Amino acid sequence: MKRRKAVKTNPRIRILSKKLEMVSKKQKAEIWKTIARALEGPAQNWAEVNIEKLDRLTKEKEVVVVPGKVLGSGSLTHSVEVYAFNSSAGAKKSIQSARGKIGTIEELIEKNPKGTGVRIIR
């Protein structure tokens, strides 16, 4: 019995995935392809990263991307730029209070199409 490939119904995911693939090919940046593959998978397998984990794994002024959702548990002691598919209100507040920046993956693609200096956190 053949299994059919699951198709994402959320138009934002479909558009973002295509854009990530296109930019990856055009800029020869493997990071975007990796993120696209993560977002094309089941949502239950997406990254859910707490602020506490970001604080442990990042350094001052580092740029990170989360292929999933950033959650607000914990506190952030340094400024960091975080880009994710989605983030909770608590996470946004924590990042901004630490003088960091929170944004979407789409914003990061526009800002840094080559993906240099960007780290994936899962």
Side-chain angles (χ1 to χ4, degrees):
M1 182 180 238
K2 276 190 170 180
R3 279 193 142 160
R4 293 187 341 193
K5 185 179 177 186
V7 177
K8 293 288 184 175
T9 56
N10 184 334
R12 180 175 171 217
I13 297 171
R14 294 171 86 176
I15 291 168
L16 177 59
S17 182
K18 285 180 184 177
K19 186 172 186 174
L20 286 165
E21 292 279 348
M22 187 178 67
V23 172
S24 173
K25 207 176 259 186
K26 184 177 180 183
Q27 298 292 332
K28 295 181 177 143
E30 203 59 36
I31 188 169
W32 304 129
K33 188 182 235 180
T34 303
I35 293 168
R37 294 287 177 250
L39 292 176
E40 288 170 355
Q44 66 189 22
N45 294 342
W46 284 11
E48 288 182 346
V49 179
N50 281 310
I51 293 294
E52 180 181 344
K53 185 174 183 179
L54 285 174
D55 190 52
R56 270 194 338 264
L57 297 178
T58 61
K59 299 174 189 163
E60 182 79 24
K61 307 249 186 230
E62 192 169 8
V63 179
V64 297
V65 62
V66 177
K69 188 169 186 172
V70 180
L71 303 172
S73 179
S75 63
L76 193 60
T77 59
H78 56 273
S79 68
V80 64
E81 284 187 44
V82 181
Y83 297 91
F85 183 77
N86 203 353
S87 58
S88 70
K92 288 178 185 177
K93 186 178 177 184
S94 294
I95 292 168
Q96 290 169 345
S97 68
R99 295 189 201 110
K101 184 176 189 273
I102 182 84
T104 64
I105 296 172
E106 293 92 339
E107 291 171 357
L108 182 58
I109 294 170
E110 295 300 319
K111 180 180 173 184
N112 186 356
K114 290 196 182 284
T116 53
V118 177
R119 195 167 135 209
I120 300 173
I121 303 282
R122 294 181 192 177

